[in-house]
């Protein structure tokens, strides 16, 4: 039994430490996983060497006079009624929300980049030519138990505490023909679980995307772009009250002996939804061409050797420190084609021909699961 005086001494030490620190009550407090336990990026998510075939043409800069003229124009009417403060709007379709900002990508890139760094993330990918920023895996320290000991000694021995979850975020800034920019933030999550009944080992496995977390970071980005705290909260609340479609009608079909998706959505909405699905499911988008309805992506098919390994689980192997040299990333094209009031999504090979392999079937299935 612990002596009462000894216990009192521990409590006294805790109170003394707490007097010298401020407790953060925020629900979001990220810390890069590189500063804690590091997660290796799976081979199918690692960076390919730059292929000039997919390099986009450098866009011309926009003058201040042209920007002012653009801001004076009447906002374009969207399918989802826009909610706007200044030149920042939030739009919603189902559980997907995004910002529409009346500024060119060039003026939004650096503030968006600073936004993620200010929130405790390291940036793993920075592709200004594609408008893509991606953080590394990080943990939300605000999810740690906030008991008396954690609130006091945790400030001193912070490295001893760790959550069982990691999050990664991708921001995509997409240029529109009218000079405005659409900003999408997508979340991916991993969680550490026991891999045996004895609870003597763990593996990392994916957990679902968190639309509420995506929305919260969009709200905070609004503040970075010039809205007030109160205005950002009002916009989010108004968007939530709008309601809207919660799911898309998606069906796996076959086109020219190749797997494909049939979507009961017009092209513009299908293009947007597929883009978010690619971001959420971790595909690396090397390039995109909206005029042709093409996303250029990369995918790795797990080989037979992986399926015969010990009971680690697929993601455990993917997040191990050992490189999977035998896994070669393959480039594909995800084609979104208009079919009147509906759309089709097809997987093409690097040469633009329909892909009939098992990899294509897997890609279609992964997209369908996120789109439903």
């Amino acid at each position: 039994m612990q002596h009462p005086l000894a216990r009192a001494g521990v409590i006294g030490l805790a109170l003394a430490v707490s007097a010298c620190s401020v407790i953060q009550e925020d629900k979001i407090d990220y810390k890069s996983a590189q500063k804690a336990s590091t997660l290796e990026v799976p081979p199918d998510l690692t960076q390919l060497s730059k292929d000039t075939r997919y390099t986009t043409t450098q866009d011309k800069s926009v003058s201040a006079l042209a920007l002012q003229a653009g801001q004076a124009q009447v906002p374009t009417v969207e399918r989802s009624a826009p909610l706007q403060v200044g030149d920042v709007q939030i739009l919603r379709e189902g559980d997907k929300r995004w910002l529409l900002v009346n500024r060119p990508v060039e003026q939004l890139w650096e503030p968006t980049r600073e936004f993620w760094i200010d929130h405790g993330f390291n940036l793993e990918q920075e592709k200004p030519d594609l408008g893509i920023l991606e953080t590394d895996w990080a943990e939300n320290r605000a999810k740690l138990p906030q008991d008396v000991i954690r609130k006091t000694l945790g400030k001193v021995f912070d490295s001893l505490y760790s959550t069982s979850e990691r999050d990664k975020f991708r921001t995509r800034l997409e240029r529109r023909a009218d000079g405005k920019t659409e900003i999408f933030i997508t979340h991916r999550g991993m969680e550490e679980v026991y891999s045996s009944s004895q609870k003597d080992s763990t593996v990392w496995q994916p957990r679902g995307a968190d639309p509420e977390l995506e929305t919260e970071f969009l709200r905070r980005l609004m503040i970075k772009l010039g809205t007030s705290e109160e205005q950002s909260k009002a916009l989010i609340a108004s968007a939530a009250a709008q309601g809207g479609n919660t799911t898309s009608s998606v069906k796996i079909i076959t086109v020219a002996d190749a797997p494909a998706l049939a979507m009961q959505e017009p092209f513009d909405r299908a293009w947007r939804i597929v883009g978010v699905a690619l971001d959420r499911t971790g595909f690396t988008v090397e390039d995109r061409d909206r005029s042709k309805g093409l996303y250029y992506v990369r995918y790795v098919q797990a080989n037979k050797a992986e399926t015969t390994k010990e009971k680690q689980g697929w993601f455990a192997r993917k997040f191990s420190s050992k490189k999977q040299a035998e896994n070669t990333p393959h480039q594909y094209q995800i084609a979104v084609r208009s079919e009147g009031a509906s759309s089709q999504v097809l997987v093409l090979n690097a040469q633009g021909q329909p892909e009939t392999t098992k990899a294509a079937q897997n890609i279609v299935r992964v997209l369908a699961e996120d789109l439903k």
Side-chain angles (χ1 to χ4, degrees), residues 133-345:
L133 285 164
E134 185 168 292
T135 72
D136 61 354
W137 292 99
E139 64 174 337
N140 187 358
R141 306 292 287 177
K143 288 189 173 182
L144 289 169
Q146 297 298 311
D147 52 28
V148 174
I149 300 299
R150 164 63 190 143
K151 286 184 177 182
T152 54
L153 299 183
K155 299 298 179 179
V156 179
F157 304 106
D158 194 59
S159 61
L160 298 179
Y161 294 86
S162 179
T163 69
S164 61
E165 295 182 355
R166 297 292 184 271
D167 298 304
K168 176 192 284 280
F169 297 89
R170 180 181 294 178
T171 307
R172 178 162 47 90
L173 294 84
E174 186 156 333
R175 191 188 313 276
R176 298 203 335 179
D178 59 6
K180 298 179 181 180
T181 301
E182 292 180 324
I183 304 178
F184 301 86
I185 293 178
T186 48
H187 164 257
R188 292 171 57 209
M190 300 290 292
E191 60 182 349
E192 190 176 18
V193 298
Y194 288 110
S195 59
S196 65
S197 57
Q198 292 77 19
K199 296 185 177 182
D200 55 0
S201 61
T202 62
V203 295
W204 288 92
Q205 67 180 25
R207 72 182 202 276
D210 188 337
E212 292 185 1
L213 198 53
E214 295 170 347
T215 300
E216 174 60 19
F217 274 111
L218 281 173
R219 186 190 72 80
R220 294 181 179 214
L221 182 57
M222 290 184 209
I223 299 173
K224 180 70 173 180
L225 298 179
T227 68
S228 69
E229 179 83 19
E230 293 73 17
Q231 288 171 333
S232 69
K233 291 180 178 179
L235 287 178
I236 293 297
S238 298
Q242 278 189 347
N245 296 333
T246 57
T247 59
S248 297
S249 177
V250 178
K251 182 172 63 175
I252 297 179
I253 61 175
T254 300
V255 176
D257 297 326
L261 294 175
M263 299 180 64
Q264 297 303 313
E265 303 289 352
F267 172 82
D268 286 345
R269 188 166 188 262
W271 172 264
R272 183 182 300 123
I273 292 173
V274 170
V276 172
L278 290 171
D279 289 337
R280 279 181 174 175
T281 50
F283 287 90
T284 295
V285 179
E286 293 296 317
D287 197 2
R288 60 182 180 270
D289 188 337
R290 184 167 182 160
S291 64
K292 296 180 180 179
L294 292 176
Y295 287 97
Y296 298 89
V297 303
R298 182 168 39 76
Y299 177 81
V300 168
Q301 175 67 34
N303 58 33
K304 294 180 179 179
E306 290 179 316
T307 62
T308 59
K309 291 185 179 181
E310 296 180 356
K311 298 178 181 179
Q312 294 176 291
W314 188 83
F315 273 87
R317 297 192 296 274
K318 293 302 183 184
F319 282 81
S320 67
S321 60
K322 296 181 180 179
K323 300 295 182 181
Q324 304 294 330
E326 64 274 17
N327 286 340
T328 303
H330 296 280
Q331 291 169 326
Y332 298 93
Q333 299 175 20
I334 307 300
V336 182
R337 294 178 177 174
S338 176
E339 297 288 333
S342 59
S343 303
Q344 287 184 354
V345 181

Side-chain angles (χ1 to χ4, degrees), residues 55-61 105-106 128-130 175:
T55 303
T56 58
T57 304
Q58 183 67 29
D59 295 282
K60 296 181 180 179
S61 59
V105 173
E106 291 82 3
D129 55 335
L130 298 180
R175 191 188 313 276

